[in-house]
Amino acid sequence: MRPDASSGWPDLIYSVLKRNNVSQVGYVPDNGHARLIALCQQDNEITDVVMTTEAEGPGLVLGATLGGKRAALLMQSSGVGNSVNALTILKSCAAPCLLIVTMRGEFDDFNPWQVTMGAMTESTLKACGFLTYRVERAEDVEDIVTGGCNMAYGNNLQVAVLLAQRLIKRSKGAH
Amino acid sequence: MLDRREFVGHLLTDRGELLVVTGLGTPTFDVNACGDHPLNFYIWGGMGCTAMVGLGLALARPDRRIAVITGDGDLLMGMGSLATIGAKQPRNLSIVVLDNGHYGATGMQASATATGIDLAGTATSCRFRQVRSVSQIDETVDVRKILHSGQGPIFIHAKIKANDPPRVIPSRDGQAIKQRFIEASAKHI
């Protein structure tokens, strides 16, 4: 049975990753990604890698690419800031990357310290050579992540899907 | 103290199908000085990433042995990746750090290891299965054996002289090096 999009979008992202034969998923734990991380951990065909900083992610993706495999990264918007120089290696090597970012500091965030990085996340990714697609509504998640995978894995491009904080809050009611 | 070129040359003699990832700066030149090879991947940017490139490759290719050859500066910048690697316990991954306690590419400024910060101890704490420190060339036979047949994750801490040998510069075209590596390593399956 297909999960209900309003709360089941992490399951839909997982199914898109599976359809695209993504076999490595690197992440720094994040509440918005908790369900998707759990699904990846339970999957024997996906190697999940918990990283000490998001800056480790691009190296992992490049290594997977060298080994003929597809990798994706999950992180919070603050992690984009942690990773800037590392992210640039992916464009230098035309290593395909799908990066799924849960946004902070943009909508009804209780912590104002998140606002500055949240405000620069998308422009930072663009400056690092990433295509960026924002998702505001749960019903768009599957389509946009699918398109992102096609662009990344089909063309050796670097693609970030930004999950709006409003989308995450409406489905989880928490950070 | 080891001569870096001599030590790396010994490690890579009769390398077989070993896949090699090099850290940016002098370690890249050291590996290339042994002879350019399609199973070498030279990193030219993203300082601190080298060990993680090795991990991604090791997880993608459990059928092959992978050696990361990098410097103390690069490893210090990505020191958390030793914990990430230790948590995954890849049996086919070795990290070789050429430690001269200095940043060779930028004018030989001292690094943290020059004050006694112990990278081998860090690797032990991070659950590397085999950790070896080497500072004499006659120990290289043993170290080479571990690199080519030991069970990982392996950490080889090589104390090298702080000299600045001539730069032996390989291709800087990331896409071309990647493509060559993928094709060469796929062929040997």
Side-chain angles (χ1 to χ4, degrees), chain A residues 74-117:
Chain A
L74 316 179
M75 64 179 71
Q76 199 179 88
S77 47
S78 49
V80 172
N82 291 348
S83 313
V84 171
N85 186 45
L87 286 168
T88 67
I89 67 175
L90 298 171
K91 189 170 186 188
S92 295
C93 298
C97 179
L98 180 74
L99 167 57
I100 303 177
V101 179
T102 45
M103 291 301 301
R104 289 291 309 265
E106 64 171 16
F107 173 79
D108 197 17
D109 199 310
F110 83 103
N111 183 354
W113 290 39
Q114 292 282 354
V115 171
T116 308
M117 187 63 233

Side-chain angles (χ1 to χ4, degrees), chain A residues 24 48 52 56 59 63 69 93-94, chain B residues 53 56-57 60 80-81 84 88 178:
Chain A
Q24 285 188 35
D48 66 289
T52 68
E56 294 174 8
K69 301 286 187 179
C93 298
Chain B
V53 174
L57 179 57
S81 47
T84 302
K88 292 310 287 186
K178 176 198 74 170

Side-chain angles (χ1 to χ4, degrees), chain B residues 88-107:
Chain B
K88 292 310 287 186
Q89 290 288 302
R91 295 287 182 261
N92 55 337
L93 178 62
S94 299
I95 308 288
V96 180
V97 59
L98 306 172
D99 183 2
N100 62 6
H102 290 81
Y103 292 89
T106 56

